[in-house]
Amino acid sequence: MAGGIKVQILDDEQAVAGLAAKFIVELLRRRPDAVLGLATGSTPEPTYDELVRLHCEEGLSFSKVRTLNLDEYLGLDGDHEQSFRFFMQKHLFGHLDIRPWNTFIFDGMAREPEQECLAFEAKIRGLGGVDLWLLGLGGNGHIAFNEPGSTAGSRSRVVTPDPETVEANSRHFADPREVPRRGLTVGVGTILDGRSIVLLATGAHKAEAVARAVEGPRSVDCPASLLQDHPDCFFLLDRPAAARLS
């Protein structure tokens, strides 16, 4: 295992979700007003399902929690069915006791996107930093919309997702041509500033990216590999995603 990345290999995506939720539960027990950094996409959905279950069945409260999302499409408002704000409301926020004013996501309709990114960084600082970032992993090693070429010092900014990422996301749109070609994202440096990082990867199609991130050299060619220097970073993997680890 390279650097500070700690790997846990589990049987399936439900086991990954259960352990990811446990990390969050343990954090909230220590700090009910924790700041969580959250991802969208199919990988974290089972984790959000488990958090909703814990809230509904076991009384896990999010009433003091503050959340920040990793990214958003530029050009989509929060009511658009493919916006990340809509995703979070559908899969998590709408089922919890979290205060809407404590959920922070980039404004995809910002008139001045660069200023929106500066304001987002300021918001993170104002909250005292992120206690735990929950990440997914792209097939090309991207984290959030930090595509290959993103540096360890990168900050929130306007980006152009790689064609591979656009294609992967097109399955969520009725017409692939509707996928926005620009996005807003926190930077790799913004993520590295978090006190803890938990990255989820499931499925054989993530195996190569996982191996590059964990065992490959630190390189901007695989942004997830830049997490190797973080002192408290966990990769939670199902067996297919871990298949190429030595």
Side-chain angles (χ1 to χ4, degrees):
M1 185 189 319
I5 295 177
K6 295 170 277 290
V7 174
Q8 298 212 28
I9 301 171
L10 300 120
D11 287 336
D12 52 35
E13 69 172 8
Q14 289 305 128
V16 168
L19 185 54
K22 183 178 179 182
F23 273 91
I24 293 172
V25 169
E26 290 175 350
L27 171 60
L28 297 190
R29 285 175 178 164
R30 298 193 308 270
R31 184 177 178 186
D33 63 344
V35 178
L36 301 177
L38 302 176
T40 54
S42 57
T43 301
E45 279 188 37
T47 299
Y48 295 154
D49 289 344
E50 176 63 7
L51 291 175
V52 170
R53 185 193 70 78
L54 289 167
H55 169 69
C56 294
E57 298 181 8
E58 300 184 22
L60 177 65
S61 178
F62 288 78
S63 63
K64 298 180 180 179
V65 171
R66 286 78 55 78
T67 67
L68 298 137
N69 264 75
L70 288 158
D71 43 18
E72 179 58 284
Y73 285 122
L74 188 59
L76 298 188
D77 66 37
D79 292 328
H80 191 287
E81 291 187 357
Q82 300 307 328
S83 74
F84 296 161
R85 164 65 75 179
F86 189 95
F87 175 98
M88 294 305 302
Q89 191 66 28
K90 176 180 178 181
H91 292 284
L92 188 64
F93 299 155
H95 308 282
L96 304 177
D97 60 343
I98 195 166
R99 308 300 195 231
W101 52 87
N102 283 335
T103 63
F104 304 102
I105 301 179
F106 287 104
D107 179 3
M109 299 301 290
R111 293 185 178 182
E112 298 183 13
E114 291 80 9
Q115 290 300 314
E116 173 70 7
C117 293
L118 291 173
F120 206 76
E121 290 282 333
K123 173 58 69 176
I124 294 172
R125 292 192 298 271
L127 292 172
V130 174
D131 292 301
L132 185 151
W133 283 111
L134 185 70
L135 306 181
L137 177 67
N140 64 359
H142 76 251
I143 47 178
F145 273 149
N146 292 288
E147 301 285 4
S150 300
T151 67
S154 58
R155 293 289 166 181
S156 296
R157 64 203 188 282
V158 181
V159 293
T160 301
D162 279 4
E164 179 180 336
T165 302
V166 173
E167 182 179 356
N169 291 344
S170 67
R171 69 185 187 277
H172 301 297
F173 289 78
D175 184 344
R177 292 173 296 182
E178 295 177 356
V179 183
R181 270 24 182 204
R182 292 200 299 166
L184 304 167
T185 187
V186 300
V188 178
T190 314
I191 294 169
L192 288 171
D193 281 348
R195 285 178 271 279
S196 296
I197 297 171
V198 176
L199 183 147
L200 314 179
T202 56
H205 61 297
K206 297 295 178 68
E208 181 178 353
V210 166
R212 291 176 64 203
V214 176
E215 298 179 339
R218 284 182 74 259
S219 171
V220 298
D221 294 333
C222 178
S225 71
L226 302 175
L227 302 176
Q228 290 175 10
D229 284 344
H230 194 276
D232 190 25
C233 179
F234 286 85
F235 276 32
L236 308 186
L237 315 171
D238 67 1
R239 295 192 183 282
R244 297 197 181 183
L245 291 176
S246 59

